[in-house]
Amino acid sequence: KAGGHNIPMQEVLRADTPKPKMVSGAVEAAVIAKIRELAPKVDAVLLGDQVSATISDAVYEAVLDCAREHKLVTVADSRARAGFFRDVDVIKPNDREAGLAAGIEVVDKATLEQAGRFLLTRAKNALVTLGPKGITVFAANGSIENVPIRPVRAVDVTGAGDTVAAAIVLTLAAGGTLRDAAVLGNTAAG
């Protein structure tokens, strides 16, 4: 289901398989080969793990190896496995996904901070989206900042989280700060 505690659930019917089998064998090897081929040609990697089975342990290790070797910015956005993405520069779950990773329900500022601190045991930084309440930035240095949205009349919020993730990776790849990434993510998502 798409959406967090601060926005209504939007998914009514999916055409894909919600629990597909994780890639392996020749397909996994081909994915890893493509990652190794493209890594020297890019500045950043956005790992979008919504309902897929492409990011196996081996695929993820290949991404991390390439990121270290080529000094790539790494941002992960996962619907159900936010805690899986250790060592990325930024993990970007919504509040519900952050709680799922931490094994708690995010219902207030205290539980949000608990989930954010948990995410910092996995990723270097976390930007947790809160729908109309903005984005909370949990930085590696321990600072926590809520970056509010600029109110707009949203026509359709489908894909807002994906849009935020894209804005984050682009901002960081261009040399922006975490706060810059949150501001631009909020603005891009509308």
Side-chain angles (χ1 to χ4, degrees):
K1 297 177 188 175
H5 291 293
N6 289 295
I7 57 175
M9 293 299 195
Q10 300 180 48
E11 199 167 271
V12 177
L13 175 67
R14 289 196 69 97
D16 59 348
T17 305
K19 294 186 182 204
K21 183 179 174 197
M22 191 61 70
V23 295
S24 61
V27 172
E28 182 179 54
V31 170
I32 291 169
K34 187 56 82 171
I35 290 166
R36 294 191 189 291
E37 174 190 330
L38 294 175
K41 302 173 186 177
V42 300
D43 297 317
V45 176
L46 173 57
L47 296 151
D49 181 49
Q50 301 312 312
V51 189
S52 70
T54 307
I55 306 173
S56 65
D57 290 342
V59 168
Y60 187 60
E61 288 304 320
V63 169
L64 289 179
D65 289 346
C66 289
R68 284 188 286 269
E69 180 180 349
H70 301 287
K71 298 178 179 32
L72 306 178
V73 171
T74 52
V75 175
D77 182 14
S78 178
R79 186 172 292 180
R81 299 191 309 160
F84 171 80
F85 292 96
R86 71 197 184 302
D87 299 327
V88 291
D89 293 309
V90 174
I91 183 70
K92 189 242 45 97
N94 64 34
D95 52 346
R96 186 182 59 78
E97 295 159 349
L100 180 65
I104 62 171
E105 185 175 1
V106 174
V107 294
D108 56 20
K109 183 178 178 183
T111 53
L112 173 63
E113 289 183 7
Q114 183 180 351
R117 284 192 298 276
F118 171 81
L119 292 170
L120 290 179
T121 68
R122 302 295 195 262
K124 296 173 189 169
N125 304 282
L127 275 69
V128 179
T129 61
L130 307 171
K133 295 180 181 178
I135 297 174
T136 298
V137 177
F138 295 88
N141 67 9
S143 69
I144 301 171
E145 178 184 10
N146 185 267
V147 179
I149 64 165
R150 296 170 89 186
V152 296
R153 184 172 102 52
V155 175
D156 182 359
V157 295
T158 304
D162 297 334
T163 302
V164 171
I168 290 169
V169 74
L170 289 170
T171 302
L172 296 178
T177 65
L178 293 173
R179 185 176 204 299
D180 294 336
V183 168
L184 290 172
N186 278 333
T187 302

